[in-house]
Amino acid sequence: MSVTPPADVLTVAPEEPVAALQEVSKRLGKTAALTRFSLQLRGGEVTALLGPNGAGKTTAVRLLIGLLAPDQGRVEVLGRDPRNSTARMAIGAMLQVARAPDMLTVREHIELFRSYYPRPLETTAILDRTGLLPIMHRRFGTLSGGQKQRLLFALAICGDPRLVCLDEPTVGLDIQARRQVWAHIRALAAAGKAVLLTTHYLEEADALAHRIALIERGRLVRLGTPTEIKRAVAARRIRCRTQVSDAVLRGLPTVTSLERHGEDAVIFAHDPQAVLRQLLPLDAALSDLEVGAASLEDAFLTLIHAD
């Protein structure tokens, strides 16, 4: 026997995206914030949107949560305009710049946000899931920066949303608190949510994202898994401590670029074996040698620069 969902419940077939921007252009004043930008967000995935400041990341988030309308193109959440009241019930957001009333307690904030949704998560479940249970009676104004970030994250998931947009969710957090938020984000994806993450911490994107979208000047530069993005940089990385001059290092075979950090050199080359065959006889004291693939940071800098 099939069961028809209530009229105010939005559903989506497993193969369809939970949300999408399709050929979207948006100007903010005289600035082209997005230009024919397309991106699909699928359930069960974390998609990291990466780019330099002013690239259009926040504009994309604001379009998805219905705070802005596109000048051209389409923005959809579960097949509807995100400004539609029913679609909004399927969206949770944590914005980088956000405030909450200082006099309300943690629990009061959560119960207030729960009241906005027809089928919210239970208060205790939210508090426990985000580690806020021990401080639920504290007022927002007395919380530390990390505790405030955790509460803002909790508010984003109060309605048990299908789409969760997290704009710099771990900014200002210490390492332990950041890893706790990472665990929450992974749990959202495991529960079938579509998660859009913007972050300046490339290690965070590498650790969490199923797919990475690189954006610069409002345009999509590259889309792929973290591994695919890193493979787009053909050169491999050689890190070592050497007294050999930069001029000599740059002249070694297949070297594409060089970075110097004190006595440490970071060499990028298409054929690291050829580099090492010539470098080792030049420096008998060479030490701390590491050879590996390019990092996400290397790929980010190369691909953004190339665009």
Side-chain angles (χ1 to χ4, degrees), residues 202-226:
L202 297 184
E203 175 197 4
E204 184 166 273
D206 202 2
L208 294 175
H210 298 84
R211 293 184 302 145
I212 291 174
L214 295 182
I215 181 175
E216 185 177 25
R217 297 191 296 275
R219 296 180 182 273
L220 186 66
V221 175
R222 191 66 64 101
L223 176 66
T225 66

Side-chain angles (χ1 to χ4, degrees), residues 50-52 199-207 212 214 225-237 239 257 259 261 266 268 293-306:
L50 305 181
T199 178
H200 281 93
Y201 300 118
L202 297 184
E203 175 197 4
E204 184 166 273
D206 202 2
I212 291 174
L214 295 182
T225 66
T227 298
E228 288 169 344
I229 296 294
K230 286 181 280 190
R231 282 178 180 168
V233 180
R236 293 176 64 84
R237 170 196 284 218
R239 187 182 186 97
S257 62
E259 297 174 6
H261 306 282
V266 180
F268 295 92
S295 68
L296 183 59
E297 180 178 353
D298 301 327
F300 176 88
L301 294 172
T302 299
L303 294 170
I304 292 295
H305 177 73

